[in-house]
Amino acid sequence: MSKYAVPALDKALEILEFLAAESLPLSQSDIALGIGRTNSEIYRVLVGLESRGYILRDEVSGKYRMSLKLLELTRTLSPVSQLRFAAQPEMEALAARLGQSCHLSVIHQGQLMVVLQVASPGPVSLSFNEGTLFPLLQTVSGRLLLANCESGRRQSVLDELAEDADRSAVEQNLNRIREIGFEVRPSELTDGVTDCAALVGKPDGATIAALAVSSLTSVVGKKLEQSELVNEVRASAAKISVALGL
């Protein structure tokens, strides 16, 4: 146990997590048994959670159930705002280390949308304006995101974007990307540019994004080794995931 543990907070979280996993209201004894505590240990915590509106107690049975307060709290958080806030410091550090600009993208209405860009600290920088939309299947970031999104959503997007004749080859490529966890290759949209992208979040997760660095192909392999580029982008994507709690 951490030396900074707060027993009352631990109990409150245990109770909320336990109630959230149950489909029926539960008595104090049921809750205590379920989380491995005694009735006396959780009594004051239950009272506190009820007074704050996180759980509800039935006046007749005395049993507790979750309220919708946690759901309402999550609705006040913009996923894109959270992504930007968590990603900016690490993206600035990545741009400084590599001397290259980087950008963060998500899937939006069947397209790739850039939600954050950090410019290169050098005199020459490839720019991707925030809010710009790109075709999913023609971008490294788009393919990476499509490869790692939930299978039902992936199939729905492919039904709209992939030609029947190409569907098998597209799916094989997406499976390859998902297996290795990143994508690096010359840009299909801009001549002379090499794109490298790594996943922020976990495959099939509710929140995933693509962290990408776009470099002049003449630079990759000379001043910047491709292996170094891949390792740096993947490491930064992992740090952003941790910052998001994913």
Side-chain angles (χ1 to χ4, degrees):
M1 180 180 293
S2 168
K3 65 179 180 179
Y4 300 112
V6 181
L9 177 60
D10 288 340
K11 294 172 192 175
L13 292 174
E14 288 172 4
I15 290 169
L16 291 175
E17 290 169 357
F18 182 66
L19 285 175
E22 298 297 318
S23 58
L24 297 174
L26 298 172
S27 67
Q28 179 178 326
S29 297
D30 292 332
I31 297 170
L33 181 63
I35 65 174
R37 303 277 188 175
T38 65
N39 282 337
S40 60
E41 282 184 290
I42 68 169
Y43 172 72
R44 291 183 181 276
V45 181
L46 287 171
V47 171
L49 289 172
E50 182 185 3
S51 68
R52 301 284 293 190
Y54 288 99
I55 61 175
L56 301 173
R57 182 175 180 273
D58 185 84
E59 293 183 0
V60 177
S61 68
K63 293 184 177 181
Y64 295 91
R65 60 183 174 86
M66 290 288 294
S67 72
L68 296 178
K69 186 167 183 177
L70 282 176
L71 178 60
E72 292 301 319
L73 285 177
T74 62
R75 286 175 176 169
T76 66
L77 300 175
S78 164
V80 170
S81 295
Q82 294 296 305
L83 274 171
R84 287 168 53 89
F85 181 80
Q88 179 124 20
E90 180 55 35
M91 288 176 63
E92 290 175 351
L94 176 65
R97 289 197 303 272
L98 295 180
Q100 305 290 325
S101 62
C102 55
H103 55 280
L104 190 72
S105 305
V106 298
I107 294 177
H108 176 70
Q109 297 181 352
Q111 294 180 284
L112 181 77
M113 182 172 73
V114 178
V115 297
L116 179 63
Q117 187 213 224
V118 172
S120 163
V124 178
S125 177
L126 295 172
S127 177
F128 296 85
N129 293 332
E130 294 171 11
T132 302
L133 297 173
F134 295 97
L136 277 177
L137 292 178
Q138 280 71 56
T139 57
V140 163
S141 292
R143 289 189 294 269
L144 176 75
L145 288 172
L146 196 55
N148 287 281
C149 71
E150 187 272 328
S151 60
R153 186 182 186 191
R154 171 173 161 176
Q155 295 306 316
S156 177
V157 172
L158 287 177
D159 288 342
E160 293 185 12
L161 301 181
E163 299 290 338
D164 290 342
D166 301 329
R167 181 69 174 260
S168 177
V170 169
E171 291 189 330
Q172 287 181 10
N173 187 38
L174 293 178
N175 289 336
R176 176 191 62 81
I177 294 170
R178 183 183 176 105
E179 183 176 347
I180 64 175
F182 67 92
E183 173 79 323
V184 55
R185 62 183 298 168
S187 171
E188 295 180 21
L189 300 178
T190 308
D191 291 338
V193 171
T194 293
D195 296 322
C196 176
L199 187 71
V200 173
K202 297 180 180 179
D204 301 324
T207 300
I208 58 173
L211 174 65
V213 169
S214 295
S215 310
L216 295 175
T217 301
S218 59
V219 172
V220 178
K222 294 181 180 179
K223 295 181 181 178
L224 180 65
E225 293 295 331
Q226 182 171 301
S227 59
E228 177 191 359
L229 175 63
V230 170
N231 290 338
E232 288 281 0
V233 175
R234 296 188 76 183
S236 288
K239 290 178 182 178
I240 295 171
S241 298
V242 171
L244 285 164
L246 300 176

